[in-house]
Amino acid sequence: MTELSQLMPEKIDALLKQIGLTFETEEQPFSIDEFKQNIMCFF
């Protein structure tokens, strides 16, 4: 997947946007406790 993302970043971004999956860069990273509480419950 990493090689593919480097070869076709615009097409991958367009596909992700089409299916409603977007990513944002944030200045303030969240804590590991916040990650465990809000993300790990889905796994």
Side-chain angles (χ1 to χ4, degrees), residues 6-41:
Q6 293 173 354
L7 293 173
M8 303 179 351
E10 295 86 12
K11 290 185 179 184
I12 292 173
D13 287 345
L15 177 62
L16 293 176
K17 186 176 180 180
Q18 182 180 356
I19 62 173
L21 184 59
T22 58
F23 297 93
E24 296 179 14
T25 303
E26 294 201 11
E27 297 293 324
Q28 182 69 31
F30 52 83
S31 70
I32 189 69
D33 290 333
E34 186 180 357
F35 176 80
K36 288 178 181 177
Q37 179 183 0
N38 297 326
I39 306 298
M40 291 304 293
C41 63

Side-chain angles (χ1 to χ4, degrees), residues 1-7:
M1 186 67 173
T2 301
E3 290 178 25
L4 183 61
S5 65
Q6 293 173 354
L7 293 173

